[in-house]
Amino acid sequence: MTVNYCFGKTYRLLKTDDFSSVFALRRMKSQPALQLWSKPNGLGHPRLGLVVPKKTARRANRRNYMKRALREWFRLNRHRLDGCDLVIRARRPFDSSELQQVWAQLERIVPKKTC
């Protein structure tokens, strides 16, 4: 079996309605740096939505780095996830020195194989 590591549009939550439906289900888990909402989507593959508010990181380049880091974790680990929509919200800023800790927090809160 080959694992495809691309991150195309089919793996992203793009519309406001998609985000709203995940938030409405209220299945939330928290860690110090992150919050995660999840909902089954019935598509057979996971989708990711990211929220990094200005209140968390004022500068756009910091917010963009945080989103890139979270997307990279998802891209490398999505083969372990079943069909569910995930919305990850950054609660505090992090940089490259804390990246492994943030990824470890994601490992603890992301549902494995079921939503």
Side-chain angles (χ1 to χ4, degrees), residues 27-114:
R27 292 176 67 180
M28 193 226 346
K29 296 179 184 177
S30 290
Q31 286 287 313
L34 305 167
Q35 286 179 315
L36 175 112
W37 287 266
S38 63
K39 174 193 147 210
N41 66 14
L43 297 175
H45 62 81
R47 297 188 302 172
L48 176 68
L50 297 171
V51 178
V52 182
K54 267 190 183 177
K55 187 175 181 180
T56 300
R58 192 84 178 124
R59 310 268 311 183
N61 61 342
R62 302 242 0 236
R63 290 193 307 275
N64 290 339
Y65 171 78
M66 293 165 66
K67 287 189 270 188
R68 270 195 314 273
L70 295 171
R71 259 188 245 118
E72 181 67 6
W73 179 89
F74 177 80
R75 190 182 69 81
L76 294 173
N77 292 283
R78 73 156 196 251
H79 65 278
R80 299 182 310 146
L81 306 169
D82 273 343
C84 61
D85 291 341
L86 304 172
V87 175
I88 300 172
R89 179 182 175 267
R91 296 178 69 184
R92 66 171 182 79
F94 61 87
D95 58 13
S96 58
S97 65
E98 300 170 300
L99 184 59
Q100 294 304 319
Q101 296 159 349
V102 171
W103 282 10
Q105 289 180 25
L106 271 171
E107 290 289 331
R108 286 192 290 272
I109 63 175
V110 170
K112 306 296 186 278
K113 291 290 182 191
T114 57

